[in-house]
C-alpha cells in the first residue's frame, strides 16, 4: 500500500503548503475559537459564521506542525456549507478514523455504524488515516475538529 501512503502524504503536504481558507473572519460577528496542543506546540484559531444552522463561512489561522495545519485546512474545506448535524457526524467519522486500530475492514464496519445519515464523506480528511500509526500525532490531527466543536459548544449551538 506504499502507493496509497504516498498519495496521502501528497494530499497532506498540498494542504500544508497551499492551505484552504487560511485567514481570519471579522469577529464579531464571526465566532472565534482557539485550540492548543501543548504536546506539539500546535495552535489553531478558527473564525466562522453560523447561519440558519449551517457553517456559512470559516477561516483558520495559527501555527504548528504540518499535520495540524493540514488538518485545519481540510476541516475548513469540508465543513463549509455543512449543517451542524453534518459537522457532528463528520467529527464522529473522523474520530473513528483516528482511534481504531486494526484491519481496514474493521475500520470500515465501525465507520458505517456511525454513518447514520448514510453519507459521511471524509474527503481529503481520509488522508490523515496514516496518523494513527503515530499516536503522539493524533492530537495534532484532531485539534482543528476539537477546536471547532468547543467553539460551537461555547456558543450554545451544539444540541
Ligand atoms: Zn503537531
Amino acid at each position: 500500500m506504499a502507493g496509497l501512503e504516498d498519495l496521502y502524504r501528497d494530499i497532506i503536504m498540498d494542504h500544508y503548503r497551499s492551505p484552504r481558507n487560511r485567514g481570519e473572519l471579522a469577529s464579531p460577528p464571526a465566532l472565534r475559537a482557539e485550540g492548543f496542543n501543548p504536546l506539539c506546540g500546535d495552535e489553531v484559531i478558527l473564525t466562522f459564521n453560523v447561519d440558519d444552522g449551517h457553517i456559512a463561512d470559516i477561516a483558520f489561522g495559527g501555527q504548528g506542525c504540518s499535520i495540524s495545519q493540514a488538518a485545519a485546512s481540510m476541516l475548513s474545506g469540508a465543513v463549509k456549507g455543512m449543517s451542524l448535524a453534518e459537522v457532528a457526524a463528520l467529527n464522529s467519522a473522523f474520530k473513528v478514523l483516528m482511534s481504531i486500530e486494526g484491519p481496514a475492514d474493521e475500520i470500515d464496519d465501525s465507520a458505517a455504524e456511525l454513518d447514520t445519515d448514510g453519507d459521511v464523506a471524509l474527503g481529503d480528511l481520509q488522508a490523515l488515516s496514516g496518523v494513527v500509526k503515530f499516536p503522539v500525532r493524533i492530537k495534532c490531527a484532531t485539534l482543528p475538529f476539537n477546536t471547532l466543536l468547543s467553539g460551537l459548544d461555547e456558543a450554545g449551538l451544539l444540541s
Side-chain angles (χ1 to χ4, degrees), residues 84-116:
L84 298 185
E86 289 170 329
V87 172
L90 182 68
N91 174 62
S92 295
F94 184 64
K95 295 298 169 59
V96 168
L97 184 74
M98 286 294 110
S99 58
I100 294 278
E101 295 176 25
D105 58 337
E106 285 184 20
I107 293 174
D108 287 343
D109 287 348
S110 300
E113 284 172 22
L114 278 171
D115 188 1
T116 49

Side-chain angles (χ1 to χ4, degrees), residues 97-141:
L97 184 74
M98 286 294 110
S99 58
I100 294 278
E101 295 176 25
D105 58 337
E106 285 184 20
I107 293 174
D108 287 343
D109 287 348
S110 300
E113 284 172 22
L114 278 171
D115 188 1
T116 49
D117 289 332
D119 187 27
V120 178
L122 283 165
D124 283 358
L125 287 161
Q126 185 77 40
L128 292 165
S129 58
V131 170
V132 293
K133 283 186 274 184
F134 309 96
V136 74
R137 309 306 296 280
I138 292 175
K139 285 190 187 307
C140 306

Side-chain angles (χ1 to χ4, degrees), residues 37 40 42 65 68 137 140:
N37 171 24
C40 185
D42 302 319
C65 70
S68 67
R137 309 306 296 280
C140 306

Side-chain angles (χ1 to χ4, degrees), residues 12 15 32 38 45-46 62 73 76 81 95 114 121 128 135 148 151:
I12 291 168
H15 275 272
R32 180 185 172 92
I45 300 168
L46 298 177
S73 172
S76 68
K95 295 298 169 59
L114 278 171
L128 292 165
L148 177 60

Side-chain angles (χ1 to χ4, degrees), residues 16-88:
Y16 180 59
R17 294 189 179 120
S18 307
R20 300 1 170 219
N21 308 301
R22 188 162 181 92
E24 193 165 343
L25 305 176
S27 173
L31 299 167
R32 180 185 172 92
E34 297 182 16
F36 300 96
N37 171 24
L39 287 176
C40 185
D42 302 319
E43 173 191 50
V44 168
I45 300 168
L46 298 177
T47 47
F48 51 98
N49 289 312
V50 177
D51 183 28
D52 195 25
H54 288 69
I55 304 287
D57 202 3
I58 184 168
F60 83 94
Q63 57 193 343
C65 70
S66 56
I67 298 293
S68 67
Q69 301 304 302
S73 172
M74 292 171 183
L75 167 92
S76 68
V79 303
K80 195 184 279 192
M82 273 189 172
S83 71
L84 298 185
E86 289 170 329
V87 172

